[in-house]
Amino acid sequence: QLHKSVVCRARFVPHPTGMTRTLWSHPTPRVPTGFTLIEMLIVMSILGVIALMSMGRISEYVRQRNVVSAAATVRNDIQQAFAIAARNRRPVRLRFAGADTALKITNRENSVTYVRRGLGNGGGFMLTPSDVAFCASTCSDASVDVYPNGWASDTLTITITKGAYSRGLHMSRSGLVTTR
């Protein structure tokens, strides 16, 4: 006879002798599903430690990519200045304004702006005026005229630095732009 508090199932199985036999099956323990709060906290703390360890490498990579992208963009803009001068058959002026970290390609009278490239926060490169050195004969508000025949009035050296990473560009008077 079963006690009322025991939850068991009885199953009647026929026996070869003709009598029925009772088999008792005991309930299986319930397996909890999901995660406990402690398990979630442990996983989150491990992920937090990994994220903190990789932040230095990620920020260094972002700085390096900003410098490389800015150098490539400035190089393309310089080459574009030579193309604009040849196409319009008029001289254009390359000018770097250090206050707003912008490269401008204008006509010589500064009445028409062909290209204005911001290298600071608004341009997406996150560079400050101290990160960019734009030097022709002098380094303060340097400007170079580009003539339609493919020659420039002066050579140009541009250095872009952010943290420990630096990229330099050099433009010859004949318009050859090299990266160093």
Side-chain angles (χ1 to χ4, degrees):
Q1 182 144 15
L2 285 176
H3 191 274
K4 290 182 181 178
S5 65
V6 177
V7 180
C8 294
R9 286 189 231 175
R11 196 172 70 173
F12 301 103
V13 178
H15 196 265
T17 59
M19 300 179 61
T20 57
R21 202 166 117 181
T22 306
L23 294 176
W24 296 96
S25 64
H26 298 285
T28 58
R30 227 180 109 205
V31 178
T33 58
F35 302 105
T36 65
L37 181 61
I38 299 294
E39 291 170 335
M40 289 298 286
L41 288 174
I42 289 171
V43 169
M44 295 303 287
S45 63
I46 290 171
L47 289 176
V49 168
I50 291 171
L52 284 175
M53 289 183 348
S54 64
M55 284 302 286
R57 299 286 288 166
I58 291 172
S59 64
E60 182 63 31
Y61 175 76
V62 168
R63 269 188 248 127
Q64 180 179 350
R65 292 308 313 156
N66 283 343
V67 169
V68 169
S69 297
T73 301
V74 169
R75 178 185 178 133
N76 290 338
D77 288 344
I78 291 171
Q79 291 171 342
Q80 187 176 4
F82 280 88
I84 290 170
R87 183 184 66 223
N88 293 342
R89 296 189 186 125
R90 294 183 174 256
V92 296
R93 181 165 288 160
L94 277 168
R95 181 179 197 99
F96 182 75
D100 58 353
T101 317
L103 173 68
K104 295 179 184 177
I105 302 173
T106 63
N107 63 353
R108 288 173 79 181
E109 297 82 29
N110 287 329
S111 60
V112 177
T113 301
Y114 299 109
V115 175
R116 183 189 182 285
R117 179 79 58 200
L119 300 176
N121 290 338
F125 299 110
M126 311 298 254
L127 299 173
T128 62
S130 62
D131 293 335
V132 182
F134 191 90
C135 301
S137 299
T138 63
C139 288
S140 60
D141 286 337
S143 65
V144 174
D145 290 334
V146 176
Y147 301 111
N149 63 1
W151 287 88
S153 63
D154 200 356
T155 60
L156 186 62
T157 302
I158 303 162
T159 306
I160 302 171
T161 306
K162 188 74 172 175
Y165 196 75
S166 178
R167 197 44 82 95
L169 297 169
H170 179 74
M171 180 194 80
S172 68
R173 289 191 61 194
S174 64
L176 178 65
V177 182
T178 56
T179 305
R180 40 181 179 99

